[in-house]
């Protein structure tokens, strides 16, 4: 997605060979107009898949998910990372290992909002090692729902996540794929490359 690549080039800050900071439009301040375009793009890619629900993870997955949900006319369910006072019934949970934080976290969704009738699109802001997406896929499976695919705003192709998810047979649609962050330069993987 050209517009997203331009935004990353202009406003993304390369913090290291591994980490791209996009706090000006995705992870802190949100560019709602860009998110609307992101939503249109995901919706276009999944428009023929009979999606009934979008599942994401708080917090940065919520904005692109809501925009996609408006286009597809479906609800969004976001998995919670922290214990909730009210989220207590029929919990579907998965354990997600964070490489950066080196800790295991439980993510949870209420079974009330996900059923075997659902055809799910999972959306997240970043794909790095793929652990969050795997956790969400596990929750979808626990609900007996089917997973149509995984929509990612920014995939870091030099990390393992994309490979792991695609090898498991998941359909992964990433709107920007980063090949390298070396020498403080963002290099994109073009559509012809793999
Ligand atoms: P990983 O080991 O698979 O890399 O994922 P990890 O769980 O350690 O990621 C921790 C957080 O960092 C996640 O957000 C993830 O989306 C984000 N992340 C991973 N790589 C990058 C990157 O290059 N740039 C940015 N900006 N974020 C990255 P989170 O803690 O779930 O936070 P939230 O923003 O969703 O609230
Ligand atoms: Na994040
Ligand atoms: Na995230």
């Amino acid at each position: 997605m050209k517009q997203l690549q331009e935004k990353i080039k202009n406003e993304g800050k390369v913090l290291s060979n591994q980490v791209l900071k996009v706090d000006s439009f995705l992870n802190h301040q949100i560019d709602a107009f860009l998110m609307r375009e992101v939503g249109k793009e995901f919706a276009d890619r999944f428009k023929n898949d009979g999606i009934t629900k979008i599942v994401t993870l708080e917090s940065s997955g919520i904005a692109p998910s809501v925009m996609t949900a408006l286009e597809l006319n479906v609800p969004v369910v976001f998995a919670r990372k922290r214990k909730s006072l009210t989220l207590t019934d029929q919990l579907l949970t998965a354990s997600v290992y964070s490489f950066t934080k080196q800790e295991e976290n439980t993510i949870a969704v209420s079974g009330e909002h996900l059923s075997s009738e659902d055809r799910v699109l999972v959306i997240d802001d970043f794909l790095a090692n793929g652990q969050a997406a795997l956790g969400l896929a596990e929750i979808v499976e626990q609900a007996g729902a089917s997973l149509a695919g995984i929509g990612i705003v920014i995939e870091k192709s030099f990390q393992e996540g994309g490979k792991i998810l695609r090898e498991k047979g998941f359909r992964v649609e990433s709107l920007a794929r980063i090949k390298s962050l070396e020498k403080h330069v963002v290099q994109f993987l073009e559509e012809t490359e793999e």
Side-chain angles (χ1 to χ4, degrees):
M1 188 181 163
K2 205 81 214 149
Q3 201 181 341
L4 176 62
Q5 286 195 354
E6 286 304 313
K7 191 76 167 180
I8 292 169
K9 272 190 211 155
N10 293 332
E11 296 186 19
K13 295 192 168 64
V14 180
L15 295 191
S16 70
N17 286 349
Q18 308 287 319
V19 179
L20 175 72
K21 180 168 170 165
V22 289
D23 276 12
S24 75
F25 61 93
L26 184 56
N27 289 143
H28 193 28
Q29 175 170 262
I30 292 170
D31 183 335
F33 294 96
L34 178 64
M35 284 309 118
R36 184 160 63 188
E37 297 309 310
V38 161
K40 285 181 183 160
E41 182 65 31
F42 280 138
D44 193 54
R45 294 189 191 199
F46 288 96
K47 62 176 183 265
N48 298 321
D49 293 280
I51 305 298
T52 64
K53 202 152 284 189
I54 294 173
V55 172
T56 188
L57 185 55
E58 65 173 344
S59 57
S60 299
I62 296 176
S65 293
V66 168
M67 292 304 183
T68 310
L70 282 169
E71 296 293 327
L72 292 175
N73 195 23
V74 297
V76 178
V77 182
F78 63 93
R80 290 183 180 267
K81 292 172 186 163
R82 295 168 244 358
K83 285 225 163 61
S84 157
L85 182 67
T86 54
L87 181 66
T88 50
D89 295 336
Q90 319 164 35
L91 278 191
L92 308 168
T93 63
S95 182
V96 172
Y97 181 74
S98 167
F99 285 93
T100 35
K101 292 170 194 155
Q102 300 206 347
E103 61 185 24
E104 195 92 21
N105 289 112
T106 301
I107 62 170
V109 166
S110 164
E112 240 183 301
H113 303 299
L114 212 49
S115 83
S116 57
E117 311 280 279
D118 280 314
R119 179 101 176 122
V120 174
L121 168 59
V122 162
I123 287 183
D124 209 358
D125 58 337
F126 268 92
L127 176 57
N129 294 293
Q131 299 306 303
L134 284 173
L136 292 172
E138 199 182 315
I139 281 175
V140 170
E141 194 187 331
Q142 276 174 38
S146 71
L147 181 59
I150 300 169
I152 298 292
V153 182
I154 303 175
E155 172 179 348
K156 293 185 291 180
S157 300
F158 55 88
Q159 289 180 302
E160 285 296 292
K163 189 165 177 264
I164 292 170
L165 297 177
R166 291 181 180 101
E167 277 179 5
K168 281 188 171 285
F170 295 126
R171 174 180 168 201
V172 181
E173 294 283 345
S174 303
L175 304 190
R177 298 178 77 187
I178 295 175
K179 179 161 66 176
S180 161
L181 293 173
E182 276 165 40
K183 301 188 174 126
H184 293 273
V185 179
V186 181
Q187 280 193 286
F188 293 101
L189 194 71
E190 297 308 330
E191 261 133 58
T192 50
E193 293 179 78
E194 263 307 307

